[in-house]
Amino acid sequence: MLLSIRDLRVAFRLGERGQTTRAQAVDGVSFDIPELATVALVGESGSGKSVTAMSILNLLPDNAQRSGVIEYRGRDLLQATPPQLQALRGKEIACVFQDPMTSLNPVFTVGQQLAEPLRRHLGASRRAAAERAEALLAEVGMPEPKRRLASYPHELSGGQQQRVMIAMALACEPKLLIADEPTTALDVTIQRQILELIARLQERHRMSVLFISHDLGVVGEIADHVVVMRRGVVREQGPVAAIFRSPRDAYTRALLACRPSAALASARLPVIDDHIEGIAPVRQAKPKDPSAPVVLEVRALAKSFFLREGLFGKREFKAVRNVSFALRRGHTLGVVGESGSGKTTMGLTLLRLHEPTAGEVLFDGRNLLALNDAERQAMRRRIQIVFQNPYASLNPRFTVGQTLLEPMVIHGIGHDAADRQRRARQLLAQVGLDDSAFGKYPHEFSGGQRQRVAIARCLTLEPEVLVLDEAVSALDVSVQAQVLNLLKDLQDDLGLAYVFISHDLSVVRFLSDDVLVMKDGEVVEQASAQQLLAAPREEYTQRLLGAIPRGYQGPPHPSSGTPG
C-alpha cells in the first residue's frame, strides 16, 4: 500500500490562540491508496475532501489541528518534521490545484518555475534544468514547448496553464499525484485532454493519483476506487463499478441524480436534500410560447482587437465574426464553444462592455450600438449580465443590502429608501435567501449563495434580458442544480429571456430552447436544443458532445490495484 489514512480528524481553531472554539472539517476519515491506482474523493463544496488531501503534506493554515494516522510507505506523515515534509513535497508527492493562475507565480516565466523543483530536489544544473523543462512541456502536450519556456502565465490559456502545473508536478517523477479539481473551470474538450493526459502520464510514470472532484461524471472515467464524503465524513467507498452501478448511500445516489444530462431533457433538477428525503419536485416548468415577441435581435455582430506588431504596425484579431440570432421573450439561447471561441466576447459586446466593430443589436426596435451615453444608460437597466465568478463581481466592502440598493438608487427605482429596502428584501426571498442575508458581507456566503446575490442584484433593475456568462460553471453539482432551477423559476415568473453562455452542454441542454455553437469567433451551427444535441450536423459540435464526461462506462483499468 502506497498511502493509508486512518481515522483522520481535522479541526480549525477559531479566534485567538487558547480559545476552545473549533470547527470540525474532517471527522474520522479512513481510506487507502494502492500503488499504480487512481482513488477519487468526491463530494460537495465543504465536504472536507480538499482538507483531507491537503492534510497529507500539511498544506493547511496554522490554525488547523490534525489527529489520526497518514502512513506513507511505512512512515506516519502526521509525525514528520517540517524539513521532512519539505523533502517529500514535489519530489515524492506532488499537487495540481484547481486554479493554475493562483498557483503559478505571475512574475516568473514558465521555464523558471519548471526549473525550480529540478534544481531544489534533484540538484540539476541550470542548463540541465532548462532542457528537462522543455522535455516536460513536450510530454504534457504543450505546443511549441521551447518558445513557451519564456512565456509568463498570463500569456497562456487556461488549459495551457493547467498543463504547466502538471509538468511542474511531474518534474521529479513523484509516486503520488494529488489532483484537486484540476478540470473544473475548463471547457469539455480541454477537460477531456487533461483527463487523458493524467491517465497517460500515470501509466508512463507508474504513479498513483488522488483525484478530488465534485463531478461523478468525471470521476467515473478516471478512477478505480471512489470515496464519497459529506460534511467531513465518508458516506460510502468502493470500486468505481460498484459505486456507479449500485450506490448504497442515499447521498451518493443524490449526487448522481443532480447532474443534468445532455441526452435527456428534464423540467427540474433534483436537489441533494430533497432527493435524500424523497421529496419530488412540486413545480413544473411552464410551456414556452413559440410565437412570443422577439426581444433581442442580433445582426452580423463583429468585434476585432488590434494587437501591436513591431514598432509601428498592428495586427487585427477577429474575436467575433458575423454573429446573428433572434431571442424571444421567456426563451433561452444557449451559446457554447471551447475557450477562445468568442462566446464571452460576443456576450460582452451585446452590452457594449466591448465596443463592436460592426453589426446591429436591436432591442425593442432600437439599435443598442447606435445609442448615445444617456440613452444607453436608460437601456442598460433592461439588459443585465451575471458573471462567472461571484467572488470577483461582488464588492467585498458592501453588505448584501448595500449591493442591492445601489443600482436602484442610481437608476431612480423605488419611491424612497423604505420602498427600495422592501424591494431588496423581496428579491432575496425570490432567489432563496432569508432576510438575515441583507446585513451580511459576501465573504459570509458560499459560492452558490453569492451567485444568488449576483442574480438578485441584476433583478433590482427589472431587466427583460439576462446575459449569463458561465454563471454556474464554478459551482458544485448540487448548488448548480439549485441555481439552474432558480433561473427556470425566474424565467417562468418574470418572462425573462436569457443568453446563456457555457462550455457545459449538459447544462445548456437543461436550460436552453435554442443553441448557438461558436468556433473561432463564428457561428458554426444553430438549431433547437433538442435537435442539435440529438443529431448535430457539424463535426465540431459532435466533438464537443463526445467530450462530455459520461461517468463509468466499463471495467477499471487493468493496471490498477484494489484498495483495502
Side-chain angles (χ1 to χ4, degrees):
M1 197 61 61
L2 182 68
L3 186 137
S4 293
I5 295 179
R6 291 287 172 268
D7 196 29
L8 176 66
R9 299 173 190 273
V10 183
F12 292 93
R13 189 180 58 252
L14 303 178
E16 300 296 327
R17 288 185 179 274
Q19 291 189 353
T20 57
T21 309
R22 288 157 36 103
Q24 194 76 32
V26 175
D27 194 3
V29 167
S30 300
F31 63 88
D32 297 325
I33 304 177
E35 294 188 357
L36 312 181
T38 299
V39 175
L41 276 181
V42 182
E44 301 168 88
S45 297
S47 62
K49 55 189 188 297
S50 291
V51 172
T52 298
M54 294 305 103
S55 295
I56 294 172
L57 289 173
N58 196 19
L59 298 175
L60 295 172
D62 292 339
N63 64 333
Q65 299 172 331
R66 302 177 300 159
S67 65
V69 175
I70 302 177
E71 192 174 276
Y72 173 73
R73 290 184 158 184
R75 187 196 324 178
D76 186 359
L77 298 186
L78 290 188
Q79 307 303 320
T81 63
Q84 289 172 332
L85 287 175
Q86 186 71 20
L88 283 176
R89 292 173 186 153
K91 186 175 183 182
E92 293 197 41
I93 304 175
C95 299
V96 177
F97 299 104
Q98 176 177 348
D99 185 0
M101 275 307 288
T102 61
S103 304
L104 295 171
N105 193 318
V107 301
F108 289 143
T109 66
V110 167
Q112 289 171 321
Q113 295 184 66
L114 280 169
E116 183 182 13
L118 295 167
R119 300 187 70 186
R120 173 182 284 271
H121 290 295
L122 304 183
S125 66
R126 189 181 298 273
R127 181 174 180 177
E131 291 174 352
R132 174 64 178 148
E134 182 182 347
L136 283 165
L137 286 183
E139 187 177 17
V140 298
M142 178 73 78
E144 302 179 275
K146 188 168 186 177
R147 186 171 72 86
R148 289 303 186 191
L149 288 175
S151 298
Y152 288 89
H154 72 271
E155 299 177 286
L156 307 178
S157 69
Q160 289 173 334
Q161 292 167 0
Q162 201 60 285
R163 288 173 190 270
V164 171
M165 284 296 301
I166 293 171
M168 289 174 63
L170 296 178
C172 300
E173 301 193 358
K175 299 300 180 188
L176 174 63
L177 177 67
I178 300 172
D180 188 0
E181 302 271 15
T183 62
T184 296
L186 303 177
D187 66 55
V188 286
T189 53
I190 301 300
Q191 180 185 70
R192 169 72 56 187
Q193 293 171 19
I194 296 298
L195 292 176
E196 291 175 350
L197 171 63
I198 290 174
R200 284 199 309 272
L201 295 172
Q202 177 183 15
E203 187 173 353
R204 188 181 307 164
H205 291 276
R206 300 187 64 75
M207 65 182 178
S208 297
V209 176
L210 178 60
F211 191 89
I212 302 163
S213 180
H214 62 254
D215 190 339
L216 277 164
V218 171
V219 163
E221 296 199 356
I222 196 170
D224 306 305
H225 189 84
V226 179
V227 180
V228 181
M229 291 185 65
R230 190 185 196 202
R231 296 172 183 167
V233 176
V234 174
R235 297 291 295 258
E236 182 172 8
Q237 63 176 300
V240 66
I243 295 293
F244 273 80
R245 287 175 178 163
S246 54
R248 299 188 308 273
D249 192 85
Y251 177 65
T252 311
R253 294 194 293 271
L255 278 179
L256 286 165
C258 278
R259 180 163 175 78
S261 168
L264 300 172
S266 58
R268 307 271 306 169
L269 290 172
V271 177
I272 291 283
D273 290 334
D274 289 349
H275 191 278
I276 290 174
E277 295 170 14
I279 301 173
V282 294
R283 179 164 175 160
Q284 297 299 318
K286 288 183 181 177
K288 298 296 176 73
D289 178 5
S291 60
V294 172
V295 291
L296 188 69
E297 185 176 359
V298 176
R299 299 175 182 171
L301 186 67
K303 173 61 183 173
S304 292
F305 295 95
F306 294 91
L307 310 174
R308 181 173 294 179
E309 204 166 65
L311 286 175
F312 305 107
K314 60 181 180 180
R315 175 169 58 88
E316 182 181 12
F317 171 67
K318 296 181 178 181
V320 176
R321 318 179 193 194
N322 198 34
V323 172
S324 300
F325 63 84
L327 178 63
R328 296 184 180 275
R329 177 178 172 81
H331 286 233
T332 300
L333 174 72
V335 183
V336 299
E338 297 173 283
S339 298
S341 63
K343 56 188 188 296
T344 292
T345 303
M346 184 272 290
L348 296 175
T349 306
L350 288 180
L351 284 81
R352 283 183 69 179
L353 296 175
H354 286 321
E355 285 298 326
T357 308
E360 292 181 309
V361 178
L362 300 177
F363 179 72
D364 201 17
R366 303 182 68 186
N367 183 7
L368 296 181
L369 308 185
L371 301 179
N372 61 37
D373 288 345
E375 293 170 324
R376 183 171 55 174
Q377 179 80 344
M379 196 64 76
R380 186 167 281 172
R381 271 187 54 180
R382 301 168 67 185
I383 305 181
Q384 288 288 300
I385 186 167
V386 180
F387 295 101
Q388 174 177 355
N389 187 353
Y391 297 84
S393 58
L394 297 176
N395 190 327
R397 298 187 178 188
F398 278 14
T399 64
V400 167
Q402 290 172 309
T403 296
L404 299 183
L405 293 172
E406 182 188 38
M408 289 193 276
V409 171
I410 292 172
H411 289 275
I413 294 174
H415 302 302
D416 51 29
D419 184 39
R420 285 190 282 270
Q421 188 169 128
R422 179 185 58 78
R423 288 170 180 256
R425 293 182 186 276
Q426 285 178 344
L427 283 171
L428 286 177
Q430 200 165 19
V431 299
L433 294 174
D434 61 43
D435 199 60
S436 66
F438 191 85
K440 293 182 178 178
Y441 289 88
H443 73 269
E444 299 179 79
F445 295 93
S446 68
Q449 289 172 323
R450 293 185 209 205
Q451 199 61 288
R452 289 169 183 264
V453 172
I455 293 169
R457 180 177 58 183
C458 290
L459 296 179
T460 59
L461 299 180
E462 301 171 347
E464 296 164 50
V465 176
L466 280 187
V467 177
L468 300 145
D469 185 13
E470 301 280 11
V472 298
S473 64
L475 306 177
D476 67 50
V477 286
S478 59
V479 178
Q480 184 184 82
Q482 295 170 19
V483 174
L484 288 172
N485 287 338
L486 168 66
L487 290 172
K488 273 205 169 184
D489 293 344
L490 292 172
Q491 187 170 61
D492 290 345
D493 294 341
L494 305 175
L496 296 172
Y498 297 145
V499 177
F500 187 78
I501 300 167
S502 180
H503 62 252
D504 190 333
L505 280 94
S506 302
V507 170
V508 167
R509 176 71 175 96
F510 171 75
L511 197 64
S512 302
D513 304 292
D514 299 289
V515 178
L516 182 148
V517 182
M518 293 188 67
K519 180 178 186 289
D520 299 328
E522 296 182 293
V523 176
V524 296
E525 189 165 358
Q526 187 171 359
S528 72
Q530 184 175 359
Q531 176 186 337
L532 186 139
L533 295 174
R537 299 189 315 270
E538 298 295 323
E539 184 274 335
Y540 176 71
T541 312
Q542 294 168 9
R543 182 155 58 87
L544 285 178
L545 283 167
I548 298 173
R550 301 183 187 277
Y552 178 72
Q553 299 292 314
H557 310 307
S559 61
S560 67
T562 302

